[in-house]
Amino acid sequence: VNGLEIYSMKIDSKVTSRFAHNVITSQAVNCGNVSKEVFFDVELPKTAFITNFSMTIDGVTYPGTIKEKEAAKKQYEKAVSRGQTAGLVKASGRKTEKFTVSVNIKAASKVTFELTYEELLKRQFGKYEMFIKVKPKQLVKDFEIEVDIFEPQGIAELEAEGTFITNELQNTIKKTFSGKKGHISFKPTIDQQRTCPNCSQSVLNGDFTVRYDVKRTTPDNLQIVNGYFVHFFAPTNLPKLSKNIIFVLDTSGSMYGREMEQTKEALLKILDDIKEDDFFNFILFDSEISVWKETLIKATSENLDEARKFVRHISSQGMTNLHGGLMRGIEILNAAHEENLVPKRSASIIIMLTDGQPNVGVSNTQEIEKAVKKAIDGRYTLYNLGFGSGVDYGFLERMALENKGLARRIYPDSDTALQLQGFYDEVSKPMLIDVELNYPENEISELTTNSFKHFYDGSEIVVAGRFVDSNQNHLSVDVRGEGANNALSYTTHQDAEQTAKAFQEQQYIFGEYIERLWAYLTIEQLLEKRITATGEEKENLTAQALALSLMYKFVTPLTSMVVTKPEENDNEEGIADKPTEVSNMYLKNLFSKPSTCVIYAKLLLIVKLISIKPSFITKSYGQTSPLYHTHASQPTWYTSVDGDPHFIISVPQKKDAICFNINESPGIILNLINDPVTGITVNGELIGGKRANSDAKIQNSYFGKLGIANKQLDVKLTVTPEMITIQNGDKKTGFTWLDSVTLQQAGLTLIINRKKNLVLSMDSGASFFVVLHQVWKKHPFHQDFLGLYTLKSDKLSEHTHGLLGQFFRPIDFTILEIHPGSDPKKPDATMIVKNNELTVTRGWQKDYRRDPKHGVDIPCWFVHNNGAGLIDGVHTDYIVSSLF
């Protein structure tokens, strides 16, 4: 392409006892007469660790070196200061990460790229699966995938398929297996790669997947090599345990539409799979908590029919009382066990699905984690499914891990129902509970996790360890577990001679594979434990994981690989980092089409002495019907301005956000909403802090007075932290925040909730919710202030404008050229919006709507200079002379 020819691409995978060692080699030549930039672009599994990379140009090799992140910092900052893209690895899909590196090569020069990565293949639904992303982007003269598998237990079945495989290509997949060895090769000719006989486009674009399983004559298999052991445990033909399953489902307004319909579709299919010996129930949470039944219900055909009717009528409304939903589910499970409603030998599971963050009831995530852990008390397994990127995935993951489960992202897409059903299938067949594999303590120095709450049919438990005496050549293991009818208990033995005998046929073992498998599994589990740890424990876990990552040369979240390019490239240095699941969703470019915007509110209760300014939030769902019931005591807001001045604008379909600040002085009045059609206007006056904070670069300001007017009704509402005054023509009525009032008059309703908030509803449909923020009276800087929330912005006309009003309409924008900024944790990018090209910075802003004390981090692209280029005109255009 463009004078560059990739003439060879080989993917060589060697799998020994489930541990895969993969080498991707790509060779290219510059056929042009000038220097060209050549790219090496590879997608690899998220579960894999990169272990090596090199590029060889005209016989000179430039290796990558793996270092501690801090040690790589100088190279990183040096590359950033020259404006070079230092990040080489980023999330690229549900299961993959993309490794990209480019280099300039002279005319007629050749370059060879070689990337090595390793992973432990996990067993699901009775098979190990390895997938290889195939996307050469051009026809390749010499293209080959070769997979060699060696399993001491013997290979029972082996299959390979590709999403891009045509009938013609099917015969190019060669597969053989016999005894302990299996081999797969895929080597299409250049003509077989063409999309049509004379086309230059390649048909090779998709996933190449290898699946296999091993023979199982015993419940487990022990292997000992050079002072390390690995223990594979996967008993077969066990009677299935009955299960007690609680589905805790988010039915808040944000689940409205496609998300809820897909969830219901998945639940109906799951109900078809629930067995008669199982018990189940549904807990729904929005602003309130509702249950299908007060207790766990046996899965009789009659009860399943009734459950289907219940699922079909689930609707979405209100806010997100996640804590209340989970605690109700745990209470029902506790009662079922205490009252012996369920079999003693049964597996109890909670599956919680949410697409948002808690904002009703207990909304502090740390408090929720503590309460849930205390309530479950190690008795049940909690699985948290996070729908889309609006969730606090770190919170869901911590809470699941603390309760012997795991968190899983559910991606909003056409196959969402299949994703949900697929997860259920993984945990739907428990065979054992409370499994323990006990090893002699005085013989083993470092052991991976060896106790497991559940063992599921079709899966496998893997334990690895290091002997105290590296010359030890034997091991005995006591295995314990609780089955459907009785306890499982036996002792298994193995010695190094038996392992050596099993490996006699081995021809392509790579390195010290059991030692590397142990290191991989240990690092993976240390990083997992680190998620829930704090203080000294977290420091110790980090130090252990880092030491192993460096020793075995794995690119993990604690290490970086520095890639140095040749002199012609100005000695550019790139950094290959391991993306984490929590951050994966933050850096996706999801702005492909126009969409309605959502601007999240920031409720300000800031303890730190920082600059405080007004913030704005908008949420609109176009012409759809209202998603929430409005309760006077705590309505759901669609639009708001509150606290410090960070506008946070989110596009729901794009799963990302933009934010910007407005910096202005106390006394300034800003126009927030102006609708010339309905005659509704909203203005806000800034007030300052009690006195200047010498530590703040920009002094504190808040909204201390709000004016809401409706010209058609001749109504003006003035709100301060002390008084609420409503004026209808010449008639004025005043209230204080100590009053509880419901006032109805022609065209509007005013409800005041004492010392909390007020709701102003107009017959046109527009509604406003004002929250009172009261701070500590002796606070040296802050004083009481107000927040405004628009409940039904779709009831205002398309001509609505103002700092808030302009974002009631859809906004389209595109993010390009993500690259590291001055702060390594906050990359910069180019944003195209309203035909303007802006430099933006990735960061986080606090959303105090859900957690008034601590706030919730909302990832967003920050637009500098008072929103210049994003807002219409300049921010001073929105300054008005009076409140009305």
Side-chain angles (χ1 to χ4, degrees):
V1 177
N2 194 28
L4 290 168
E5 179 193 350
I6 300 173
Y7 61 90
S8 175
M9 180 173 284
K10 295 189 177 181
I11 301 165
D12 181 64
S13 297
K14 293 190 180 348
V15 182
T16 304
S17 295
R18 292 75 149 167
F19 196 61
H21 176 90
N22 307 281
V23 181
I24 301 176
T25 307
S26 178
Q27 294 178 295
V29 60
N30 181 1
C31 301
N33 52 15
V34 294
S35 292
K36 298 276 187 180
E37 187 175 24
V38 61
F39 287 84
F40 177 66
D41 228 2
V42 173
E43 291 187 60
L44 56 149
K46 287 180 181 177
T47 50
F49 291 151
I50 292 172
T51 63
N52 194 25
F53 172 76
S54 68
M55 52 188 168
T56 303
I57 303 172
D58 293 336
V60 180
T61 298
Y62 302 87
T65 55
I66 295 174
K67 301 182 178 182
E68 181 184 359
K69 266 186 167 50
E70 287 301 310
K73 196 173 181 181
K74 287 184 179 179
Q75 289 97 322
Y76 183 93
E77 291 176 344
K78 183 179 176 184
V80 170
S81 68
R82 292 197 300 259
Q84 297 154 0
T85 301
L88 303 181
V89 184
K90 61 183 70 174
S92 64
R94 297 181 189 177
K95 300 192 295 183
T96 58
E97 296 163 354
K98 182 180 283 189
F99 176 93
T100 304
V101 68
S102 66
V103 64
N104 281 307
I105 59 172
K106 298 174 183 176
S109 288
K110 293 181 179 181
V111 59
T112 299
F113 299 102
E114 186 176 281
L115 178 72
T116 305
Y117 65 90
E118 294 176 344
E119 65 172 327
L120 177 63
L121 304 181
K122 293 182 171 58
R123 188 170 185 255
Q124 283 185 336
F125 306 119
K127 292 179 183 178
Y128 306 98
E129 179 179 291
M130 177 175 70
F131 80 95
I132 298 166
K133 201 76 174 176
V134 177
K135 196 174 181 180
K137 297 181 182 177
Q138 63 172 263
L139 302 174
V140 180
K141 183 180 177 181
D142 184 10
F143 182 92
E144 184 177 10
I145 296 175
E146 194 161 14
V147 180
D148 287 310
I149 302 171
F150 184 84
E151 287 290 349
Q153 290 168 266
I155 297 174
E157 56 182 314
L158 175 65
E159 61 187 54
E161 62 182 19
T163 55
F164 51 85
I165 297 295
T166 61
N167 289 334
E168 185 180 352
L169 281 176
Q170 190 67 50
N171 295 329
T172 63
I173 300 178
K174 306 297 183 185
K175 178 187 73 173
T176 59
F177 70 97
S178 176
K180 301 172 184 177
K181 293 188 288 187
H183 179 78
I184 286 171
S185 68
F186 174 60
K187 192 174 183 179
T189 65
I190 199 163
D191 286 334
Q192 288 172 325
Q193 296 171 38
R194 299 181 192 275
T195 52
C196 66
N198 297 315
C199 295
S200 59
Q201 288 81 29
S202 174
V203 74
L204 305 183
N205 185 358
D207 296 341
F208 187 85
T209 306
V210 175
R211 297 183 185 90
Y212 74 93
D213 199 17
V214 300
K215 295 176 181 177
R216 299 180 192 279
T217 55
T218 58
D220 53 6
N221 177 256
L222 259 174
Q223 298 173 25
I224 302 170
V225 176
N226 296 338
Y228 292 83
F229 77 88
V230 61
H231 187 186
F232 300 105
F233 176 80
T236 56
N237 302 319
L238 293 173
K240 187 178 76 68
L241 276 166
S242 64
K243 61 182 178 292
N244 318 305
I245 188 161
I246 295 271
F247 297 95
V248 182
L249 306 172
D250 183 345
T251 58
S252 63
S254 56
M255 286 286 290
Y256 178 82
R258 187 186 186 194
E259 292 185 3
M260 182 51 70
E261 292 308 310
Q262 290 174 319
T263 300
K264 289 158 68 172
E265 179 188 343
L267 289 173
L268 290 171
K269 290 178 180 175
I270 286 169
L271 286 171
D272 291 340
D273 293 335
I274 290 182
K275 308 304 179 189
E276 190 169 355
D277 291 338
D278 295 336
F279 289 76
F280 71 107
N281 202 348
F282 295 102
I283 314 295
L284 310 182
F285 66 90
D286 43 62
S287 298
E288 309 295 334
I289 309 302
S290 57
V291 299
W292 173 49
K293 301 289 184 182
E294 292 300 321
T295 63
L296 277 173
I297 298 297
K298 201 169 193 297
T300 63
S301 58
E302 294 82 4
N303 287 337
L304 287 169
D305 284 341
E306 188 181 341
R308 291 183 185 97
K309 292 177 185 176
F310 174 79
V311 167
R312 290 188 184 102
H313 288 91
I314 293 175
S315 60
S316 310
Q317 61 187 27
M319 298 169 71
T320 309
N321 189 351
L322 185 150
H323 170 265
L326 267 179
M327 295 303 287
R328 187 75 182 95
I330 297 166
E331 288 168 9
I332 288 176
L333 265 180
N334 286 343
H337 283 277
E338 290 166 5
E339 296 167 19
N340 295 318
L341 294 177
V342 296
K344 286 187 176 180
R345 291 183 179 277
S346 59
S348 293
I349 299 166
I350 302 170
I351 297 179
M352 194 268 289
L353 170 69
T354 182
D355 76 332
Q357 301 178 36
N359 54 20
V360 176
V362 179
S363 57
N364 183 304
T365 54
Q366 292 180 333
E367 290 180 19
I368 296 173
E369 287 174 42
K370 289 178 184 176
V372 169
K373 185 177 181 181
K374 182 178 179 182
I376 290 179
D377 195 27
R379 291 169 293 183
Y380 322 127
T381 303
L382 172 64
Y383 296 105
N384 290 329
L385 306 183
F387 203 132
S389 62
V391 295
D392 183 345
Y393 190 83
F395 157 60
L396 297 181
E397 187 174 38
R398 286 192 304 274
M399 188 162 59
L401 291 173
E402 286 175 337
N403 295 286
K404 302 183 179 181
L406 56 84
R408 179 78 58 82
R409 273 199 195 280
I410 302 298
Y411 295 84
D413 211 333
S414 59
D415 68 341
T416 293
L418 292 175
Q419 293 177 58
L420 291 169
Q421 189 184 359
F423 176 80
Y424 171 78
D425 290 343
E426 289 179 43
V427 299
S428 65
K429 296 176 182 176
M431 296 297 178
L432 296 169
I433 58 174
D434 298 325
V435 178
E436 290 189 3
L437 288 73
N438 296 310
Y439 305 84
E441 289 184 13
N442 61 335
E443 295 178 8
I444 308 299
S445 65
E446 294 181 63
L447 185 70
T448 62
T449 300
N450 66 321
S451 64
F452 305 85
K453 187 64 183 174
H454 294 153
F455 167 74
Y456 295 104
D457 188 32
S459 69
E460 182 174 65
I461 287 172
V462 183
V463 181
R466 184 166 71 176
F467 290 111
V468 173
D469 178 2
S470 61
N471 294 316
Q472 181 167 331
N473 57 12
H474 59 86
L475 182 64
S476 296
V477 186
D478 291 325
V479 179
R480 302 282 183 271
E482 297 293 330
N485 302 322
N486 46 45
L488 175 76
S489 178
Y490 68 90
T491 301
T492 188
H493 305 275
Q494 178 67 305
D495 60 47
E497 288 183 11
Q498 288 174 291
T499 301
K501 186 177 180 181
F503 278 86
Q504 282 178 352
E505 300 173 46
Q506 165 71 299
Q507 294 175 349
Y508 31 75
I509 190 168
F510 59 91
E512 304 294 342
Y513 87 96
I514 286 185
E515 182 178 348
R516 292 192 68 80
L517 187 158
W518 165 81
Y520 173 98
L521 194 57
T522 301
I523 293 168
E524 190 178 60
Q525 292 179 359
L526 287 170
L527 293 172
E528 191 175 270
K529 290 175 184 175
R530 187 171 166 263
I531 292 170
T532 57
T534 57
E536 187 176 348
E537 181 190 3
K538 186 168 187 171
E539 290 178 8
N540 290 337
L541 291 168
T542 301
Q544 292 174 57
L546 174 60
L548 285 174
S549 299
L550 292 171
M551 181 182 299
Y552 291 94
K553 300 190 183 305
F554 287 134
V555 176
T556 71
L558 303 175
T559 53
S560 299
M561 183 166 66
V562 181
V563 178
T564 304
K565 301 180 185 180
E567 291 180 3
E568 303 90 274
N569 293 261
D570 298 323
N571 287 322
E572 287 183 13
E573 286 155 343
I575 301 293
D577 286 325
K578 179 78 174 170
T580 59
E581 177 59 34
V582 174
S583 66
N584 278 346
M585 300 296 284
Y586 292 172
L587 296 179
K588 287 190 175 181
N589 179 8
L590 297 171
F591 309 101
S592 58
K593 59 178 185 274
S595 175
T596 308
C597 62
V598 182
I599 311 173
Y600 289 105
K602 298 190 58 176
L603 305 189
L604 179 67
L605 276 179
I606 297 183
V607 178
K608 295 178 184 176
L609 302 181
I610 63 172
S611 166
I612 301 176
K613 315 220 171 301
S615 72
F616 303 77
I617 155 178
T618 284
K619 188 168 185 178
S620 166
Y621 284 84
Q623 299 303 312
T624 58
S625 58
L627 307 187
Y628 307 121
H629 286 317
T630 302
H631 303 286
S633 61
Q634 191 153 13
T636 300
W637 40 83
Y638 278 6
T639 344
S640 78
V641 48
D642 201 339
D644 105 355
H646 302 296
F647 294 69
I648 307 177
I649 308 168
S650 173
V651 180
Q653 291 89 333
K654 307 303 180 185
K655 307 297 183 186
D656 215 311
I658 311 173
C659 50
F660 62 95
N661 292 350
I662 294 292
N663 300 314
E664 268 304 339
S665 306
I668 292 295
I669 300 172
L670 296 172
N671 174 238
L672 307 176
I673 301 169
N674 180 21
D675 183 1
V677 176
T678 63
I680 294 174
T681 62
V682 182
N683 295 325
E685 181 178 338
L686 298 177
I687 57 173
K690 294 177 181 176
R691 60 185 176 87
N693 176 2
S694 59
D695 295 331
K697 293 180 180 179
I698 302 172
Q699 293 308 318
N700 303 341
S701 58
Y702 328 77
F703 278 103
K705 186 181 290 187
L706 293 170
I708 305 172
N710 186 322
K711 289 182 181 177
Q712 294 180 3
L713 297 178
D714 195 17
V715 170
K716 297 176 182 176
L717 181 73
T718 305
V719 187
T720 71
E722 296 76 38
M723 290 286 297
I724 302 108
T725 304
I726 186 166
Q727 181 175 350
N728 196 337
D730 295 329
K731 182 183 177 182
K732 282 188 178 181
T733 307
F735 306 97
T736 73
W737 283 101
L738 297 176
D739 297 319
S740 292
V741 175
T742 299
L743 174 67
Q744 290 183 308
Q745 61 184 59
L748 64 81
T749 302
L750 174 66
I751 301 172
I752 302 173
N753 296 294
R754 185 175 186 269
K755 297 176 71 175
K756 291 183 178 178
N757 52 58
L758 67 81
V759 182
L760 178 67
S761 303
M762 302 182 190
D763 282 356
S764 64
S767 299
F768 301 96
F769 172 59
V770 178
V771 62
L772 171 66
H773 291 287
Q774 292 183 309
V775 302
W776 178 45
K777 298 303 179 187
K778 295 183 181 180
H779 198 287
F781 305 117
H782 308 333
Q783 57 180 320
D784 296 350
F785 62 97
L786 303 169
L788 171 78
Y789 301 80
T790 302
L791 298 180
K792 296 180 181 178
S793 59
D794 58 317
K795 299 301 181 182
L796 299 174
S797 80
E798 62 181 12
H799 300 288
T800 303
H801 208 262
L803 277 170
L804 256 65
Q806 65 186 293
F807 295 112
F808 294 169
R809 300 187 300 278
I811 183 171
D812 185 24
F813 49 93
T814 304
I815 292 292
L816 304 170
E817 301 170 3
I818 299 173
H819 57 275
S822 55
D823 182 343
K825 296 179 181 178
K826 296 180 179 180
D828 285 347
T830 299
M831 173 183 287
I832 309 297
V833 61
K834 294 183 178 179
N835 294 320
N836 295 318
E837 187 173 307
L838 311 177
T839 297
V840 294
T841 301
R842 191 63 174 181
W844 294 264
Q845 296 294 354
K846 289 287 187 184
D847 177 353
Y848 292 91
R849 175 176 52 132
R850 301 176 175 91
D851 182 354
K853 289 185 178 179
H854 306 98
V856 174
D857 285 332
I858 300 293
C860 60
W861 293 106
F862 183 79
V863 178
H864 303 273
N865 303 322
N866 290 303
L870 175 66
I871 63 173
D872 295 337
V874 295
H875 80 281
T876 52
D877 295 340
Y878 299 89
I879 296 175
V880 292
S881 57
S882 63
L883 210 56
F884 297 108

